[in-house]
Amino acid sequence: MNQDYIIPDNWSIIEEGFEQDLVKSSESLFSIGNGAMGQRANFEEYYSGKTFQGSYIAGIYYPDKTKVGWWKNGYPEYFAKVLNAPNWIGINIEINGENLDLANCAAVKNFRRELNMKEGWYHRSFTATLQNGTEIEVQVRRFLSLDLDEVGVINYQITALNQDVSIVFKPYIDAGVHNEDANWEEKFWEPLNVKNNANEAFVTARTFKTHFTATTFMQNTILVDGKNVNASPSNVASSNDKIEFSYEVSVDRNQSATIQKIGGYTVSMNHENTEEAAKKVLSNAIFIGYNQLLEDQIKAWAKIWEMSDITIDGDVKAQQGIRFNIFQLNQTYLGKDSRLNIGPKGFTGEKYGGSTYWDTEAYCIPFYMATKDQQVARNLLTYRYNHLEKAIENAAKLGFKNGAALYPMVTMNGEECHNEWEITFEEIHRNGAIAFAIFNYHRFTGDYSYIPEKGLEVLIGIARFWHQRATYSTYRNQYVILGVTGPNEYENNVNNNFYTNYIAKWCIDYTIEQIQKIEKEYSSDYTRILNKVKLSVAEINHWKEVADNMYFPFSEEHDVYLQQDGFLDKELVKVSDLDKSQRPINQKWSWDRILRSPYIKQADTLQGFYFFEDHFSKEQLEKHFDFYEPFTVHESSLSPCVHSIQAAVLDRMEQAYTFYLRTSRLDLDDYNKEVHEGLHITSMAGTWMSIVEGFGGMRVKNEALHFEPKIPTQWKGYSFKINFRNQILKVSVQSNETKFSLEGNKPITVFVKGKEILVEPNSLVTV
Amino acid sequence: MNQDYIIPDNWSIIEEGFEQDLVKSSESLFSIGNGAMGQRANFEEYYSGKTFQGSYIAGIYYPDKTKVGWWKNGYPEYFAKVLNAPNWIGINIEINGENLDLANCAAVKNFRRELNMKEGWYHRSFTATLQNGTEIEVQVRRFLSLDLDEVGVINYQITALNQDVSIVFKPYIDAGVHNEDANWEEKFWEPLNVKNNANEAFVTARTFKTHFTATTFMQNTILVDGKNVNASPSNVASSNDKIEFSYEVSVDRNQSATIQKIGGYTVSMNHENTEEAAKKVLSNAIFIGYNQLLEDQIKAWAKIWEMSDITIDGDVKAQQGIRFNIFQLNQTYLGKDSRLNIGPKGFTGEKYGGSTYWDTEAYCIPFYMATKDQQVARNLLTYRYNHLEKAIENAAKLGFKNGAALYPMVTMNGEECHNEWEITFEEIHRNGAIAFAIFNYHRFTGDYSYIPEKGLEVLIGIARFWHQRATYSTYRNQYVILGVTGPNEYENNVNNNFYTNYIAKWCIDYTIEQIQKIEKEYSSDYTRILNKVKLSVAEINHWKEVADNMYFPFSEEHDVYLQQDGFLDKELVKVSDLDKSQRPINQKWSWDRILRSPYIKQADTLQGFYFFEDHFSKEQLEKHFDFYEPFTVHESSLSPCVHSIQAAVLDRMEQAYTFYLRTSRLDLDDYNKEVHEGLHITSMAGTWMSIVEGFGGMRVKNEALHFEPKIPTQWKGYSFKINFRNQILKVSVQSNETKFSLEGNKPITVFVKGKEILVEPNSLVTV
């Protein structure tokens, strides 16, 4: 563990005391989001200390020009990245003529942040003594409405502690923002117009190139001792991309003045006229009012928790960890809009450009399938279906033909926007995860309709890719896949990565099965699709030839599949024998040294054993786990969760627990020393899996739920809920019993450690 | 062949006719240089068409900030690159009030360029009809003095053809230049001061960061009909980094006016006060005068040709090709200054940043050893000796220790300045070439003293590197070298590249031999060095363990060493079976496709057979040549020469000749469609080798010269000279006889096709 300033609490993330060095970390940890927009926990008022400003609007991106030292054919010209959106939260504060700036106060006391995950708001409070001697108490609550997802609300209250105070509130909205990670220091927003009317203001700006228009808006109300004083701005300062109001208020000692700011964005993705839309959205929010908005927020989050909460008894840190993960996932993506997806950092930072990675299919879909309506997972699949044409174009750029599809490594709009050849061109296993997610969706939800409707076309494009990407080796008389990067990105350009070869073969086999099934059972879809993609029996036979003769590197000596050709040539020193001063290797070693080492960044061969667990025996899993885990440095956030699940399968509960803590508190405890850049959102779904699939042992086999409940010694018990085929099954695991209860109307059969149990609706079954 | 506008001629490069599309290519082809400075064949007068301005000063570089998409540990922070130097050649011309601009004349006729390689000058002539109807003839000669290597001279003559003409000559010098390939569009030169006095002017500027100071100077003389008219500038226009004089001259129809401009640079590498130095250099050049400077130039080049010329009878294009190569090599590097080296583009363009690559040791040293005083090759070796400390630091950055040295892939000052991980960190075979050059120098010159004086320390650093870089594979019970890029850069991050493993083993073996020899024969050097590098017998034994147990991938089936592990997994389609539309693959294919293909950019396994020819039988060479050459696309300029030599060894004279033409006329005929970027200087030394070592079959074995003279059917004969241990041997090969003559004072023994021949001084021996 690397930091422990976050105070353990079952429902809240809490920081106490003002540490300037922690400001950027806390800005990440206390981020709020509502699926449509997000906001780092930046201060509303001016702050001259180190800060990383971040406001984000889902789906609004910019094609930043690619920056590489040495151009390679096939690199995308642009790198789509999430934009820092205009600032709607800003409220500068003047106290008896002095600007409030926490970096420059005479004293800051009782500083406290709380992110209340149960109710979905962020609160900050402190008392400050200014240079001029004025002492004030500040209480700020902020939230992004789940119900009105274009709206955010701030309640900023100042109490005079030691004298009468003249306060100037200066709320502003500002489109003159820039990205920290911009490649060419370009400005991304072109200001269009700035308007104001009474207490309302609107700044409309348009992104260069992509031409997304956003109107940023605000409305302000001033209260003294909780009573609206119907104030108007005493001054309005505006430029072409910013507008600031001034409200002057005087309060006596012990009196308080409050500004309530309603703000947010309306964007051209959703509205033809964003300014008109902003006016409507704002007037609706004003009509509802701050108090009711807050009440609605609490209800909306209660509804989310009702379905997705996981309780853990007897381990506050573990409880806080899992709730933080579930909370952040729901802040990032709620599944309402199939144009959106889940960026590795959600709305908490700029890294990874807010784009979509294979993380979604490999890690996030199980969480959304089990805790939301199945339409949400379907939307995530549809996202890729909608990008199929671009995936085919992307493959064509790399020399593939005839409808072969290579989904991009990183994307915002279906186009590739990553440019390291060893990743962009070679980390092709991502295609497999996209096919696997279709299989997984059907397996879990039982909804086959997606496949004839949309999924099969995606599968065919992917199968075509694998067929063309494999090379026939005369030498081996088998098909090989050369020059790839597997999930373990600490190997580049290797031959016959087991995971890649395995999922390639599986994709072809699975696609052929689906074609046959759809031919029999969905003949009109079959005809439509075959006509569209022009697939012949001969082509399918070619695929089959590749799948049936795929080569997998294997060591007789160790009785394990090899991560790739030549793995045994490495100096096989275990991580535990590596000097601690050398860790993390990605910060201590040059790239070539990492590459020739045996060290594994995240599950690679074991990722295959995770996806295809039922293809292998438990003994095989154990052998491979024992062979690979000791070389695994877990320097990817996606690593500990898979290992936690597999350790639990192998009854290694201490190890499973350690991995669980690492995945669930990765950001809270900042294991990788990078939380200031933002949170690791996609791995949070892995945390959920490590409880439900790991400790709970949940699997779907032959259309039924199976459980192998286990419990770490540190816990008294835990519970979770699963939306299984539109019925909600609650599972509570205690040390010596497991309880099931069902919200629904049909009894379901579950298997507990292989034993068949019937769970009737609305009754409790104890095993 | 891709272009053929260069007119074949034995001694000159000639272009006739004005083609705007060829201007940038010709600017490269007609470049001039004198080892200390260089100048692309830009027009003196203003030109509004497409042009690539380039003036270069040897050794003056700039640390451009590294630009990569994704940073890797160990990348250098800066990329040293050659700078575009201030412009000293500019002379704007006004003709009856109109600016002369070849892109905007009413007509340009009789346009002709000649680069006279025999005499070392560049001449351009044309007649132009201006928009205002004035018709003039222009004759410009320009050269960079070999004797006064800070000085360049221009003789710019205008003749009035159809009317009296009022001419304004506007010579200028200008430090306000920029680089075409600057990463961040920075300016590189900071102007310091501008001075003028009568017909002289001086602009002093300093490079940012590296703080090289250069004074650019000029002096102008105006002549009418060849007679100095003692003109003074009628106007002086100056800014902080530029100064321009105006000289007004009126000539009658058929009269001519001439400006003689003497210009150049004095730099802080050579002078404490560059401005004072400039004044002295200039006054000396003025004293000598244009005519004498030209005469001296012709003499100086005659001296170079006397030693380095190669004649070819019966094939003008082949003759022109080899002379162009020899001429450019001598323009680039004359071996006077051990701080300088040979950039792949010499002084003809910005690409490769003017830096030093392994090209010097692997390709250039044989040429300089055989055609210059042996001190020149010694200076090239000393360059690396002087960078040893930095090579040790460079290795330390990558995790090596105890004095292991990794020479940079690309360098200007000993520091690495390349940043693609697969090259920078992995193309480590460069270290081998640096050791091989020491061996080669001793083998050819017989001068062993370099090794105890300097070379052994370099060898020890290199041996230490190889020892540490090898990995013991338990699996093979041998040492392997993982994660490298060989000379064939169309493979990245491969294991056990034969060439790398072979040269690594050789380096260790050779170093141990030298240590033993020096211990016996140079005991004081031995003590000095061993104390300095702290080398123990135990450490040497560790090296030996690695060298003695090095693994080399080998195919029993094909009876060849494999380029790397897994080579046979590739789809082995020969280049001749590849559709022509797919070539060159580096322009047509994405990088991953190139990597998984069997295609070879340049000699790799065969580079090993070239360096270590006598370690293998001719049958082995033939097998390997037949196995690898068919997969070789020769998309590196360094490729055809080695293959030409080996084809000649194998008596495949047609193939040898084809490769010879390709290497010798690579730029003249623009095989790679990139001559506008500059010339391929280092491969020109390979052209020389393909005649002397290829057709001539010259080798040094047991301290004696051996020849296996062969002759392409296209030629009547050829001749070359070799400075062998301070005596000059001339070799003339005709279809049925070879003649030897010796300038020197001791008879030498040569072997011709194995037959021992004694060559007496100053007598002709015919075999």
Side-chain angles (χ1 to χ4, degrees), chain A residues 13 15 17-18 23 26-27 30 40-47 89-93 100-103 108-116 121-128 137-143 154-158:
Chain A
I13 306 303
E15 174 185 11
F18 183 56
V23 165
S26 291
E27 285 175 345
F30 293 84
R40 284 172 60 84
N42 306 126
F43 300 158
E44 287 82 1
E45 74 278 2
Y46 175 72
Y47 178 61
I89 65 162
I91 307 173
N92 289 325
I93 305 287
L100 173 62
D101 170 4
L102 286 190
V108 177
K109 287 184 196 155
N110 306 322
F111 184 89
R112 184 176 190 275
R113 299 189 198 240
E114 177 180 357
L115 180 65
N116 187 307
W121 47 258
Y122 162 58
H123 186 270
R124 176 171 61 110
S125 54
F126 57 87
T127 60
E137 185 200 72
V138 173
Q139 303 267 355
V140 197
R141 189 191 310 274
R142 174 160 98 198
F143 59 91
I154 299 168
N155 190 80
Y156 196 112
Q157 175 189 297
I158 300 172

Side-chain angles (χ1 to χ4, degrees), chain A residues 304-319:
Chain A
I304 289 175
W305 285 115
E306 172 60 25
M307 182 58 225
S308 61
D309 190 26
I310 290 182
T311 65
I312 295 176
D313 298 334
D315 188 340
V316 177
K317 283 190 151 192
Q319 175 70 75

Side-chain angles (χ1 to χ4, degrees), chain B residues 97-150:
Chain B
E98 180 180 332
N99 288 321
L100 174 61
D101 170 3
L102 285 190
N104 274 315
C105 286
V108 178
K109 287 184 196 157
N110 306 321
F111 184 89
R112 185 177 189 275
R113 299 188 197 241
E114 178 180 356
L115 179 64
N116 187 307
M117 302 186 286
K118 188 172 185 182
E119 303 189 341
W121 47 257
Y122 162 59
H123 186 271
R124 176 170 62 111
S125 54
F126 57 87
T127 59
T129 310
L130 279 81
Q131 305 280 356
N132 63 19
T134 320
E135 204 178 323
I136 55 170
E137 186 200 71
V138 173
Q139 302 267 356
V140 196
R141 190 191 310 273
R142 175 160 99 197
F143 59 91
L144 299 180
S145 169
L146 284 183
D147 291 350
L148 309 182
D149 66 9
E150 293 160 314

Side-chain angles (χ1 to χ4, degrees), chain B residues 340-468:
Chain B
L340 303 181
N341 209 291
I342 307 149
K345 294 230 167 290
F347 299 117
T348 71
E350 296 172 7
K351 211 176 165 186
Y352 305 113
S355 310
T356 305
Y357 287 65
W358 72 298
D359 302 29
T360 295
E361 284 78 13
Y363 291 85
C364 297
I365 278 190
F367 169 79
Y368 287 102
M369 283 197 302
T371 68
K372 304 269 177 215
D373 188 274
Q374 74 183 34
Q375 184 62 36
V376 170
R378 208 181 212 265
N379 276 348
L380 286 171
L381 299 188
T382 300
Y383 177 90
R384 297 292 192 176
Y385 174 75
N386 291 339
H387 289 173
L388 177 58
E389 277 313 306
K390 289 201 169 155
I392 291 171
E393 281 167 29
N394 183 42
K397 276 184 203 158
L398 303 186
F400 299 91
K401 46 202 173 181
N402 186 33
L406 175 61
Y407 279 91
M409 187 66 205
V410 179
T411 194
M412 195 64 102
N413 60 357
E415 285 166 23
E416 177 63 79
C417 57
H418 190 281
N419 47 47
E420 279 183 300
W421 64 265
E422 63 274 22
I423 306 290
T424 311
F425 302 155
E426 296 208 337
E427 203 173 330
I428 52 178
H429 67 80
R430 61 195 186 241
N431 245 13
I434 288 163
F436 183 83
I438 295 172
F439 158 79
N440 202 14
Y441 171 78
H442 168 230
R443 176 172 63 175
F444 188 84
T445 65
D447 170 24
Y448 193 75
S449 70
Y450 178 74
I451 300 182
E453 274 175 37
K454 296 177 175 168
L456 187 64
E457 288 175 53
V458 170
L459 291 172
I460 289 170
I462 289 173
R464 281 175 157 161
F465 172 79
W466 288 122
H467 164 241
Q468 293 174 35

Side-chain angles (χ1 to χ4, degrees), chain A residues 2 35 58 74 111 186 223 242 267 361 385 471 567 589-590 760:
Chain A
N2 296 286
F111 184 89
E186 283 172 295
L223 302 91
K242 182 177 175 181
V267 295
E361 284 78 12
Y385 174 75
T471 301
F567 187 80
W589 285 6
S590 68
E760 296 282 352

Side-chain angles (χ1 to χ4, degrees), chain B residues 249-316:
Chain B
V249 199
S250 292
V251 292
D252 300 339
R253 188 175 169 182
N254 293 327
Q255 256 196 327
S256 70
T258 300
I259 178 166
Q260 285 180 353
K261 181 178 186 184
I262 299 177
Y265 314 102
T266 48
V267 295
S268 56
M269 277 177 77
N270 303 319
H271 302 283
E272 268 194 28
N273 184 327
T274 57
E275 203 178 299
E276 287 308 310
K279 286 176 185 164
K280 280 186 198 149
V281 166
L282 192 50
S283 85
N284 182 34
I286 295 165
F287 175 78
I288 296 172
Y290 174 79
N291 293 329
Q292 187 61 41
L293 284 168
L294 178 59
E295 219 169 280
D296 293 346
Q297 179 79 346
I298 294 168
K299 278 187 205 151
W301 272 102
K303 212 171 145 195
I304 289 175
W305 286 115
E306 172 59 24
M307 181 57 224
S308 62
D309 191 26
I310 290 181
T311 66
I312 295 175
D313 298 334
D315 188 341
V316 178

